Amino acid sequence: MADSEDLEFQKRIDTGTKIEPKDEMPETYRRTLIRQISQHAHSEIVGQLPEGNWITRAPTLQRKAILLAKVQDEAGHGLYLYSAAETLGVSREQMIDDLLAGKAKYSSIFNYPTLTWADIGCIGWLVDGAAIINQIPICRCSYGPYARAMVRICKEESFHQRQGFDIMLKLVRSSEAQRAMAQDALNRWWWPSLMMHGPSDAKSKHSAQSMKWKIKLFSNDELRQKFVDQTVPQAEFLGLKIPDPDLKWNAERGHYDIGPINWEEFYAVIAGEGPCNRDRLQTRVRAHEDGRWVREAAAAYASKQNRRKVAA
């Protein structure tokens, strides 16, 4: 697009006009959206794996049914987001191929193991809680299909967060062993959950432009602060201790202060060196290969139906 067209496009963004698939848009805007939406979709799909691990081991039939429904929701979220990305001219097959080849990124949080049932509670409470804070503003983002997909996703994520908190509440009100299990899970998931919001914006090469285009509406640090301020009182209600010796209320700022985040760990996980990176990718590749016959049969059936329509 010419400079004048870029200025006109930015004016539409600034006035709150939604950008739709057939509208003219800068190529960098399109590529930025494809990167963000596809990574979001991949995260929903890979995010099924840590919890799917526990479907057969859930402690009660009710918990099993709830977890099964939640994992199903995550699959649906991935499909909504792949559909939104496809409106930008990228194929679903290409996005999935990039994921399976290790070219595409997904949220670092899903490369940590779920060692106990309390981990499932922490994923719902902390991980989905952090996701909601990240995702609610996207319901007002500048790209229409992405914003509309997020409305339903956020409603379902709110149920997931409540489900996780309920698991933690049951654990802390049960035996000492279960309370200890809940505290151990919090100790392991707290810092990775803070990393979910991404590095400080000064270190992010995409953040400033994404905010200018209103693909994102708040900085990474603002979202992380909101998550901390929301979650610390919840931990206090549960009677659990946040694993941060530097955590304290700052009356002057009106927010909690936290200790330093180990960003070396974050970048190592992003680079493929997390506890479960290889296992997650191998599992997705295996599932894709195992489902090949279903895709081929569906394609053959669709082709046969089309030939019948043409003949008729």
Side-chain angles (χ1 to χ4, degrees):
M1 296 176 73
D3 289 345
S4 60
E5 292 174 322
D6 285 342
L7 290 172
E8 183 62 31
F9 180 80
Q10 187 61 51
K11 182 185 292 186
R12 295 187 65 199
I13 297 289
D14 293 341
T15 57
T17 302
K18 283 283 186 285
I19 307 302
E20 298 298 340
K22 293 184 179 180
D23 293 346
E24 290 289 333
M25 65 184 76
E27 179 60 19
T28 47
Y29 176 84
R30 188 184 74 87
R31 289 201 306 267
T32 298
L33 278 168
I34 289 173
R35 177 186 57 80
Q36 179 170 326
I37 299 173
S38 64
Q39 287 182 8
H40 193 166
H42 299 328
S43 298
E44 297 285 357
I45 296 301
V46 177
Q48 298 173 91
L49 301 179
E51 295 176 302
N53 227 4
W54 278 88
I55 290 174
T56 59
R57 296 182 285 164
T60 68
L61 181 60
Q62 181 185 43
R63 290 294 185 192
K64 189 189 299 290
I66 292 171
L67 185 57
L68 186 63
K70 182 185 178 186
V71 171
Q72 179 177 283
D73 282 349
E74 306 297 0
H77 297 172
L79 296 181
Y80 302 154
L81 292 164
Y82 283 134
S83 295
E86 284 178 312
T87 66
L88 292 157
V90 63
S91 72
R92 187 171 309 198
E93 290 76 14
Q94 183 61 58
M95 289 184 282
I96 293 173
D97 286 347
D98 287 345
L99 172 65
L100 299 179
K103 297 178 182 178
K105 303 294 185 185
Y106 56 86
S107 179
S108 62
I109 195 73
F110 299 120
N111 290 313
Y112 291 86
T114 45
L115 305 179
T116 70
W117 176 247
D119 289 43
I120 304 304
C122 269
I123 287 178
W125 172 38
L126 299 179
V127 176
D128 291 328
I132 291 168
I133 286 173
N134 278 346
Q135 293 171 7
I136 285 178
I138 301 176
C139 296
R140 307 192 305 276
C141 82
S142 61
Y143 189 58
Y146 193 19
R148 291 188 287 272
M150 291 310 304
V151 172
R152 178 167 180 174
I153 290 173
C154 286
K155 288 179 180 178
E156 292 178 349
E157 291 289 6
S158 69
F159 283 102
H160 299 171
Q161 197 269 348
R162 293 180 204 175
Q163 174 246 355
F165 188 81
D166 184 64
I167 290 175
M168 300 300 286
L169 187 61
K170 292 292 192 299
L171 290 173
V172 300
R173 291 181 174 178
S174 299
S175 66
E176 284 302 314
Q178 289 175 317
R179 172 179 284 274
M181 183 193 301
Q183 182 64 60
D184 173 67
L186 173 57
N187 293 345
R188 287 183 287 106
W189 287 93
W190 174 252
W191 292 106
S193 296
L194 294 187
M195 296 176 197
M196 278 182 67
H197 302 282
S200 296
D201 290 277
K203 298 180 180 180
S204 174
K205 60 183 179 181
H206 301 294
S207 191
Q209 185 61 66
S210 291
M211 291 186 70
K212 183 178 180 181
W213 279 329
K214 295 186 180 179
I215 294 173
K216 61 184 292 185
L217 277 70
F218 297 97
S219 73
N220 295 345
D221 290 327
E222 287 173 324
L223 294 168
R224 185 167 21 254
Q225 184 68 69
K226 186 173 182 179
F227 172 71
V228 171
D229 291 347
Q230 171 183 290
T231 308
V232 171
Q234 294 172 356
E236 291 173 349
F237 179 83
L238 291 170
L240 298 175
K241 182 175 176 57
I242 298 291
D244 179 358
D246 296 324
L247 178 72
K248 64 179 183 298
W249 176 253
N250 186 323
E252 185 176 340
R253 291 200 312 121
H255 297 287
Y256 285 96
D257 292 335
I258 62 172
I261 296 173
N262 182 4
W263 290 112
E264 289 184 5
E265 176 184 332
F266 172 78
Y267 288 116
V269 175
I270 289 293
E273 298 303 321
C276 298
N277 286 67
R278 292 172 182 81
D279 178 66
R280 297 289 184 249
L281 195 56
Q282 288 170 2
T283 301
R284 284 306 311 153
V285 170
R286 186 168 60 250
H288 190 72
E289 289 303 313
D290 288 347
R292 183 179 298 279
W293 70 271
V294 178
R295 296 191 300 276
E296 291 176 348
Y301 178 78
S303 177
K304 183 178 180 180
Q305 293 298 102
N306 286 335
R307 288 198 300 271
R308 285 180 175 176
K309 288 180 181 178
V310 171

